[in-house]
Every structure is written in C-alpha cells, then in structure tokens.
Amino acid sequence: MTTYRITLLPGDGIGPEITAVARRLLEAVSASHGFSLSFDEQPVGGAAIDACGVPLPERTLEACRQSDAVLLAAIGGPRYDGLPREQRPESGLLALRAGLGLFANLRPVKIIPALAGASSLKPEVIEGVDLMVVRELTGGVYFGTPKGRVEAGGHVRAFNTMAYSDYEIDRIAKVAFQLATERRGRLCSVDKANVLDVSQLWRDRVTAMAADYPAVELSHLYVDNAAMQLVRWPKQFDVLLTSNLFGDILSDEAAMLTGSIGMLPSASLGSDGPGLFEPVHGSAPDIAGQDVANPMAMVLSAAMLLRVGLQRPEAADALERAVDQVLAAGCRTADLIGEAGLAAGCTRLGCAAIGERLLEAL
Ligand code: NAD
C-alpha cells in the first residue's frame, strides 16, 4: 500500500483545533481509499518561536522538504506583534514559501449552494460562481530590491521595487494556462499595463504564451477594472492570473464572494517538491481555544492536498462531498449561521462537533 508523508503544521491560534479535525478526516479517507498517510507534526510561527526561538526552525523546513505534501493551519498572534519584523511568525511563513520554492498560489472560490445566503452579494450574482485565482507568490513588490527607508533634506522617504523577470512571469503563466485547460478554458490576466512597465512585460509574456494553448481563451483586465468586475459579475471568470500584490488584494476580495473566510482553501506550488496547502484565513486569535472555529477551510485544504499534492482525486471528492452534506444538513459553525441560518433552522455546532459530523458523512 502506498504511504505518503505529510508534514502537519498546526501553528497558532485556532490552528491546533482545525488541524485535529483535518487529521482525523485524512486518516479516515485514506483508509477507505486504499492508501495511508504518515504524519509528522512540526512547529511553525508563534508556536516555533515559543519552542525554538525562531518562527521557522531548520528541522521544520527539512521535514517539509522531505514530505510529499505539507498541510499548514495558520500562524500569528498579538503576542508576537511587538517583535522585529524578521522574528515575527509571518516571517516564518514567508521563509517557508521561499524555502520550498512555492511561486504559484492557487485559490479556488466556489459557491456552495447551501451557503449562497451567506454572501453579501445578491444570490443571482453569486450562484454558480466557480473561479480560481492564480497569484504569483515569490516575486513582485513584496520581494523587489532596492527597498528601504531613508532620511534626506529633512524628510523621510520609504520605497519598494516592483520587478518581474521574464522567467518568473512565464512559469506562473504556464500554471494558469494549464489550469484553464483542465477547467473551462478561459484565462483572464490582470495587470496595470497602462501605467506600469513591469505590467507591460507581464502582458507581453502572457500574450506570447497564449500561442501554446490554442484551446484557452485569453483576456486581459486592468486591476482596477478586475476589482469591479469581481463584485459586478463574478461568473464571467474561470481562471484569474495575477502578480503578487494584485493577487493578494483580489484573492481576498474574491474570497468574500462566498461570505465566509472560514470556507476557503488554498494551495501553493513550486516547480518540484511538495506543495503547501492551507486555509486562506489567519489564526483567528479572537476565537482561539473556544471550540467555535470553522474547520471547513482546513478540511477543503486537505482535499486540495489530496487532489493536487497526492493525485488522489477520488479521496478529495469524498472529503468535499462530506463538507457539502454536512452543510446541506444545516450544520453550521458560528461564522456561517447568521440571522438567515437561524431563521432557516440551522444547527450551531462547535469545531470538534463539525469534525464528528464530517467523519459520519465520510
Ligand atoms: P484572521 O483570518 O485570523 O481573522 C479575521 C476574522 O475572521 C476574525 O474575526 C476571525 O475570528 C475570523 N475567522 C478567521 N478564520 C476563521 C475560522 N476558521 N472560523 C471562524 N472564524 C474565523 O485574520 P486577522 O485577524 O487579520 O489575523 C490574525 C492573525 O493571523 C495575525 O497574526 C495575522 O498575521 C495572522 N494571519 C495568518 C495567516 C496565515 O497563517 N496564512 C493569514 C492571515 C493572517
């Protein structure tokens, strides 16, 4: 029987609670689909600062490198906010992405019918939305140099550099074209080519690559228009390709189409080596340890791990079906229930109880 090595990174805040749910489900679904998983739990973020003094210990990174896939919950918390930037939990996450060479961030946004009422947009606008944001993760203005802060002439000036090389654009564009091929064949590349030189290169490279993918219909949008179109008529999108900064903003906007950040998974991939699978949300310190967190984004991240990381689509389908079933049965965590859910007779459950229902549904 094939055994896959999974590094589990529970991290901080609600991380350990939602990791426990995902782990039990992964154990159950692997057993029923003829493969096994061996888990190696390692500290990252604030938990690693407490245990080892650094947000990404060398042994955590090494364990991730040696595994077939990595499942991360979330990092961060107010206790660490006063630390210098490079010692904070968030630096551990950036170092992990860099250490694994993860340049492509995939965020699916799919409306679950039972939750259509949770969105702040009208049902006719969001029903049937099924899109994927592909964000470049290791380049652009977050990493460009020179950057810094200088004092001159009695003023303080701070600056960053937004830069992309042709190969960085090509490798992320390839991921997006391939995904579009496997999906509905439509790719929209988002840039600011009317103003930024770096965006013009982005557009030139993406346009050139389209010749290799004749089955994909390529379009381009300026980022300001894309932000509007996402809330005006999100159904027009299949795959959205963006740079690091624009993708950071647009993927959060797209995330809110579903109405809850507690439902959204993501995957980060490199050229080779293990992918990193994690919910879009953070460590939610305001609700940590109260057994009220929604574990579904974590469970759906585990499903992406099975589908994309281990090529086990049947097991991924089973997990996703379990989520659909539990929601269709009216089970909701606090973040999802709202006035409408209560009026519709939905049942409010905690994190562990939702985990039990998911196991039963499996
Ligand atoms: P957050 O996503 O942690 O929380 C935002 C709001 O959403 C909070 O009210 C929280 O209670 C709620 N929420 C989030 N996930 C939920 C879930 N699964 N179930 C129910 N409610 C949920 O974002 P924030 O408050 O801006 O950040 C908190 C900490 O998380 C910070 O330290 C931040 O740096 C960190 N963070 C980490 C990641 C990551 O690990 N990838 C991402 C974003 C933020």
Side-chain angles (χ1 to χ4, degrees):
M1 191 196 294
T2 311
T3 300
Y4 301 98
R5 286 165 302 173
I6 309 295
T7 302
L8 277 183
L9 306 176
D12 306 319
I14 60 170
E17 303 163 48
I18 60 176
T19 302
V21 170
R23 180 178 178 151
R24 285 185 67 198
L25 286 161
L26 279 170
E27 279 163 353
V29 81
S30 55
S32 60
H33 284 78
F35 59 96
S36 73
L37 302 173
S38 82
F39 294 102
D40 180 9
E41 223 166 282
Q42 295 287 340
V44 70
I49 294 172
D50 293 345
C52 319
V54 288
L56 181 66
E58 188 50 45
R59 68 155 206 255
T60 296
L61 179 57
E62 202 39 46
C64 292
R65 285 199 176 118
Q66 298 304 324
S67 58
D68 294 302
V70 181
L71 184 61
L72 165 74
I75 51 90
R79 253 190 333 121
Y80 311 100
D81 287 349
L83 292 173
R85 187 174 303 282
E86 63 283 2
Q87 292 169 27
R88 283 191 213 159
E90 290 76 5
S91 302
L93 187 52
L94 291 181
L96 180 62
R97 288 172 179 163
L100 296 177
L102 306 174
F103 64 83
N105 183 233
L106 277 48
R107 281 203 196 178
V109 176
K110 192 172 177 179
I111 300 297
I112 296 177
L115 295 181
S119 175
S120 54
L121 297 185
K122 294 182 193 131
E124 64 266 31
V125 175
I126 54 126
E127 265 161 19
V129 166
D130 179 3
L131 61 88
M132 175 80 81
V133 179
V134 178
R135 167 190 169 194
E136 201 288 327
L137 204 56
T138 50
V141 72
Y142 291 176
F143 295 92
T145 51
K147 63 174 184 174
R149 201 169 151 128
V150 290
E151 284 181 39
H155 293 282
V156 185
R157 183 178 158 77
F159 53 95
N160 293 86
T161 301
M162 186 187 272
Y164 273 111
S165 298
D166 49 6
Y167 71 90
E168 291 174 294
I169 302 168
D170 291 352
R171 67 183 181 183
I172 188 76
K174 193 170 166 196
V175 170
F177 273 108
Q178 276 171 353
L179 273 167
T181 309
E182 291 158 21
R183 291 172 52 98
R184 300 192 303 279
R186 292 209 316 278
L187 173 60
C188 177
S189 175
V190 176
D191 61 40
K192 192 71 185 165
N194 50 344
V195 178
L196 300 172
D197 292 331
V198 59
S199 277
Q200 188 59 57
L201 178 63
W202 181 279
R203 189 174 283 220
D204 293 346
R205 301 301 297 190
V206 174
T207 304
M209 192 172 284
D212 299 338
Y213 296 89
V216 175
E217 184 193 316
L218 172 68
S219 61
H220 302 273
L221 277 185
Y222 297 134
V223 61
D224 40 352
N225 190 10
M228 286 196 293
Q229 296 300 329
L230 263 176
V231 286
R232 191 188 72 80
W233 198 244
K235 271 178 249 197
Q236 67 186 286
F237 296 118
D238 179 12
V239 178
L240 272 165
L241 166 65
T242 79
S243 61
N244 204 343
L245 171 66
F246 300 157
D248 194 0
I249 299 164
L250 289 183
S251 56
D252 270 19
E253 187 193 6
M256 279 320 292
L257 299 176
T258 64
S260 172
I261 198 161
M263 293 302 302
L264 294 160
S266 77
S268 301
L269 310 175
S271 303
D272 46 30
L276 173 71
F277 301 84
E278 54 175 322
V280 165
H281 61 72
S283 58
D286 51 332
I287 57 166
Q290 299 171 25
D291 191 31
V292 295
N294 182 352
M296 289 193 175
M298 184 69 170
V299 172
L300 293 171
S301 301
M304 275 191 101
L305 178 152
L306 293 169
R307 186 185 308 283
V308 181
L310 307 184
Q311 277 82 50
R312 290 285 182 174
E314 298 87 9
D317 286 345
L319 266 192
E320 288 168 358
R321 266 198 312 273
V323 168
D324 285 347
Q325 276 176 34
V326 167
L327 288 170
C331 301
R332 304 276 190 277
T333 38
D335 56 307
L336 295 179
I337 197 155
E339 304 273 303
L342 285 171
C346 291
T347 314
R348 180 176 162 162
L349 294 174
C351 180
I354 287 280
E356 294 299 331
R357 298 296 173 97
L358 289 168
L359 266 179
E360 285 162 22
L362 259 186

